Amino acid sequence: MITDAIRKEARDLQEKLTDHSYRYHVLDDPVIDDETYDLMLKRLVEIEDLHPELSTPDSPTRRIGAPPLSDFKSAAHSIPMLSLDNGFNDEDITAFHDRNVKTLGDQLREVGKLLYTAEPKLDGVAVELTYENGVLVMATTRGDGRTGEVITDNIRTIDRVPLRLRTSDLPMPELLEVRGEVIINSDDFIRLNQTRINRGEPPFANPRNAAAGSLRQLDSKITAKRPLDIFVYGTGLCRGIEFTSQSHMLECLERFGFPVNLHIQRTIGLKEVLEAYKDLQTLRPDLDYEIDGMVIKVDDLAFQQALGEKIKSPRWAIAYKFPATTKTTRINEIIIQVGRTGTLTPVALLEPVSIGGVTVSRATLHNADEIERKDIRVHDKALVTRAGDVIPKVVKVFPSERKGDEIVFRMPETCPVCDSHVRKLEDEAAVKCINAACQAQLKERIRHFVSKKGLDVDGLGKKIVVQLVEEGMLKSFADIFTLDETALASLDRMGEKSAANLVKAIDAAKNVSLPRFIFALGIDHTGENAARLLAKTFPGLPGLMDADSLTLSSIHGMGEKTASAVTRFFAVKENISLIHDMEKAGLKITNDLYNEKPKTLSDHVFFNKTLVLTGTLEQFKRAEAKERLLAVGAKVTGSVSKKTDYLLAGRDAGSKLKKAQALGIVILDETRFLEMMGE
Ligand code: 5U1
């Protein structure tokens, strides 16, 4: 027996949770904390478990997942989900436009210019969501365009999919079929794959495969754990609502509560469309998700109808594709590179191939396990990818095309640079050279030591470090502090002024903070965050040097790998004498973090806030701003998203500033930033 009070409590909770979920996931403007939300949801689950008839199809509890299915049912699309013709250059798009103008003829003359929308083409999984009287009743994959698989339970787990339309300012349509793309954000994808690798499961090849695999789960509780997201961009059959244009449709979809991509340009002419393509290409590396082009659609729906469709694609839309990021080529050789920390990385030397306008002649193969897993051999034909500014990599080889001259690769037993024996660390795929005097490591280690996030020595760039090591003037970090100005001035391309400036910069770098110094040492698994944790725990180096691995791993937030790497580093007596030599040469290490009071930290205006730094700063360096922000408990990330609280914008800030403005994020200039920092 369900009392009226229980019925009301369930309905109130459903409404409130729906509203809070929309505010959190779509508007990025939550008004309650996660804990309160979770408690309300827990209560609703309790009520619905006791009274299943109260679990409506649009109840927020449906996002948790439903009982597993035995197979997927099929359903025909009311209107086929077409694909798109592709264009690859401005001429293709101009030809598309000219065709439209010609076909529309007189109809167009009445309105003047033909207008378009330009939309990022998301590299995800196309889906259709069916809403009857405002409630999500079915979701399907695109399938072959005519029939798809029913994946309603899985789609319900995606937080940004409304389970019920928000119709406060629009009439409720009797039927609304909405089309869009399910994606996985790049950072979430990396995390998802890392978890899979840690569990011994095979990683997904790319975010699209991960999204498709997640939607094809018969158990929606598994899908619920996957970081799926969605953007919608179109409709199928509709009853009870009419749209006049693509831009009108997008506006209504937004008002119904759907996530519509922020970078869509509406009602623009051909010239702006071509500019929008270039802008989108520039924006692409900063986006949190993968896109492979821009979809251009005639805006006016009456014009779309007049232009009509072909069997597989509409005449009123075209995909302006980005240059391909994968190509096939041949592996000519596999060589070994020795990194800063002594890791031996196999690298494929390729028959040079142009990918997206860049000539690619080498690709990382990561490690021996990866080579074995992908069965990569010298002389194999290979599929190579270059996505954004990521290092090119070999996706796969084609064993069926082998000719017999392929050679199986074996990792060397000695370092190709210094010839000393290499070793494989337990639980790690990497093989390492452990000779600290190895020339390859020395150059890289010194570059890291003096880099922006390390000792930040101005004027000691890559070329000069290589030159100094090769001239025998730098045999260890300590030699940096005793570099002689006259000897420096006599070097090729140096001169007296540069030598004097360099010596000045080195002198300035002799006063260094402990976290910077720890980071600069280049200890395995010890990045900026770990270095800060250590500096918060130990007043100075002596305590840290004496700490055992157990003590270090008991520090809250410290990983076991870092703990053992740090103890391993300080167990090497050459490293201890190196530090003493540096101190003798005038190095002074200070530590403000040890005295930091956590109580005052949480009071800081930037505590727990996420900031992005962009552009050239005049009064201080970006690395310095970042260091200060981390010290007050802020998070500093590389790309702007809805989760960003502030953007610190310096001179010539570009796409990040544009994106932050579009998202309505608070933009700070240097003066405001310093004021807020309390300086
Ligand atoms: N943004 C967007 N992506 N996308 C993909 N719009 C869009 N439209 C599509 C497809 C396949 O097709 C319709 C134009 C038919």
Side-chain angles (χ1 to χ4, degrees), residues 80-85 117-122 126 142 179-181 231-235 246 250 261 264 293-297 304 309 312-314 316-319:
M81 289 182 76
L82 300 178
S83 49
L84 290 161
D85 281 349
T117 59
E119 312 179 359
K121 187 171 181 302
L122 300 161
R142 175 179 180 275
R179 292 169 178 188
E181 205 85 359
F231 283 108
V232 304
Y233 51 71
T235 52
Q246 172 70 13
L250 293 173
N261 193 279
I264 295 180
M294 188 177 86
V295 183
I296 305 162
K297 297 175 187 166
Q304 286 190 5
E309 273 125 27
K312 291 204 169 141
S313 55
W316 45 267
I318 190 166

Side-chain angles (χ1 to χ4, degrees), residues 92 130 153 174 223 506 657:
D92 292 345
T130 305
D153 291 338
E174 189 191 326
T223 312
I506 291 171
L657 176 60

